[in-house]
Amino acid sequence: MPELPEVETVRRGLQSLVAGKTIRSVRVGVPKMIKTDLDLFRLLLPGQRIDRVQRRGKYLIFMFEELALISHLRMEGKYLLFEDVVPANKHFHVFFHFQDGSTLVYQDVRKFGTFDLLSQNDLADFFRKRRIGPEPTKADFHLGAFEKALLSSKKPIKPLLLEQKLVVGLGNIYVDEVLWAAKVHPLRPSNSLKKAEVKRIWQETIAILQFAIEKGGSTIRTYQNTLGMDGTMQDFLQAYGQTDKPCARCGQPILKIKVGGRGTHFCPRCQKL
């Protein structure tokens, strides 16, 4: 958490709030968050104008003229924009002071977030090394390649989808939702799936993540978008967090088990092992 819909919602907020702003200075309170050279991070960012904010999987990308700043929110990272005075907060760790007097602050209770500053020419290599899969759209996420990868793996379907190699953006919440919608048990060996089941997983991945983006993501625990607003996708979840509630399809209580160390929700009647 946050997953792709939440990160995309944050991206859209940042695009509206900081695109066009020029960085005056940068302050880093937790140096370990900067994964590239810290001195260059502090030296090169002042004077840079944010051209646009992009996203690749769960990574945010601040695009400048030639440089790119890659930000990963990890578990609880978030961005806040202050027009003038920045209040004291022990969880504020990276500060981007703009020439117009405003400040973009990165807040992270767990200090797990990361920043990489690199040339835009190195972006493709950055994501290739991390084996990031295609975006969950019909244009990028091809059924044939997905089917071949699933049917050649003996791994249980849920942990495999969480790896981000076959398709990006599915975290614990949305894997549960996709598998519920596709009527597939989370422990099913991937190579045991029928082609019709693979196609349903593919279709539901695209549809559910797009729907979650439209709803501004799921507000569970601490997530809010960049504008300080909650998402509403949690009101539409059918499996995740629904333990003991009746399945919307058959009325059987939703169960919760551990799969790969992750809390996992499913319907024992609709999603048979």
Side-chain angles (χ1 to χ4, degrees), residues 152-167:
S152 65
S153 175
K154 297 179 181 179
K155 293 181 180 180
I157 184 61
K158 177 169 181 175
L160 187 58
L161 291 176
L162 286 173
E163 288 181 359
Q164 309 298 303
K165 297 175 184 177
L166 303 185
V167 61

Side-chain angles (χ1 to χ4, degrees), residues 9-243:
T9 303
V10 170
R11 184 204 68 78
R12 293 180 180 186
L14 287 169
Q15 174 67 25
S16 68
L17 291 173
V18 302
K21 289 180 180 282
T22 299
I23 297 173
R24 173 172 52 83
S25 62
V26 175
R27 179 159 65 90
V28 178
V30 181
K32 71 173 185 177
M33 288 183 171
I34 313 304
K35 299 306 179 182
T36 47
D37 187 278
L38 179 59
D39 290 335
L40 286 178
F41 188 90
R42 291 169 170 154
L43 177 67
L44 295 179
L45 281 176
Q48 296 286 335
R49 179 183 180 275
I50 299 175
D51 180 51
R52 61 196 181 280
V53 184
Q54 298 182 342
R55 179 191 54 76
R56 179 73 173 93
K58 300 179 186 179
Y59 292 85
L60 292 164
I61 311 171
F62 295 84
M63 300 292 284
F64 304 100
E65 184 176 359
E66 297 179 353
L67 297 174
L69 176 62
I70 303 174
S71 166
H72 199 299
L73 302 174
R74 299 299 176 187
M75 291 296 292
E76 296 195 22
K78 62 178 63 176
Y79 282 99
L80 304 169
L81 182 70
F82 297 95
E83 293 300 333
D84 39 50
V85 177
V86 177
N89 186 314
K90 66 179 182 179
H91 301 305
F92 289 176
H93 303 308
V94 183
F95 303 78
F96 302 92
H97 301 289
F98 296 116
Q99 289 183 353
D100 66 1
S102 62
T103 302
L104 182 66
V105 176
Y106 177 73
Q107 174 183 333
D108 194 335
V109 173
R110 301 194 183 191
K111 303 179 183 178
F112 288 166
T114 62
F115 294 85
D116 292 84
L117 182 64
L118 59 155
S119 166
Q120 292 181 21
N121 294 330
D122 295 327
L123 276 174
D125 191 51
F126 177 91
F127 292 113
R128 184 165 48 249
K129 287 180 178 178
R130 286 156 181 78
R131 301 181 67 184
I132 301 298
E135 293 290 320
T137 64
K138 287 185 178 179
D140 298 319
F141 183 29
H142 301 136
L143 176 58
F146 182 59
E147 179 183 282
K148 182 179 179 180
L150 287 189
L151 298 183
S152 65
S153 175
K154 297 179 181 179
K155 293 181 180 180
I157 184 61
K158 177 169 181 175
L160 187 58
L161 291 176
L162 286 173
E163 288 181 359
Q164 309 298 303
K165 297 175 184 177
L166 303 185
V167 61
V168 295
L170 286 173
N172 205 40
I173 295 174
Y174 297 111
V175 168
D176 284 1
E177 291 300 299
V178 165
L179 294 179
W180 179 87
K183 300 182 181 180
V184 173
H185 194 287
L187 283 173
R188 279 279 298 280
S190 296
N191 62 358
S192 75
L193 295 169
K194 298 175 183 178
K195 289 189 175 183
E197 292 173 317
V198 172
K199 186 174 183 179
R200 289 203 301 269
I201 293 172
W202 173 76
Q203 290 172 325
E204 295 297 347
T205 295
I206 295 171
I208 288 173
L209 289 178
Q210 182 56 48
F211 181 69
I213 289 171
E214 293 171 4
K215 298 302 176 184
S218 300
T219 292
I220 297 172
R221 295 191 299 273
T222 62
Y223 165 74
Q224 288 185 321
N225 65 29
T226 321
L227 304 176
M229 298 167 60
D230 292 344
T232 61
M233 184 61 189
Q234 67 276 4
D235 298 332
F236 300 91
L237 298 178
Q238 303 294 334
Y240 183 88
Q242 307 304 304
T243 309

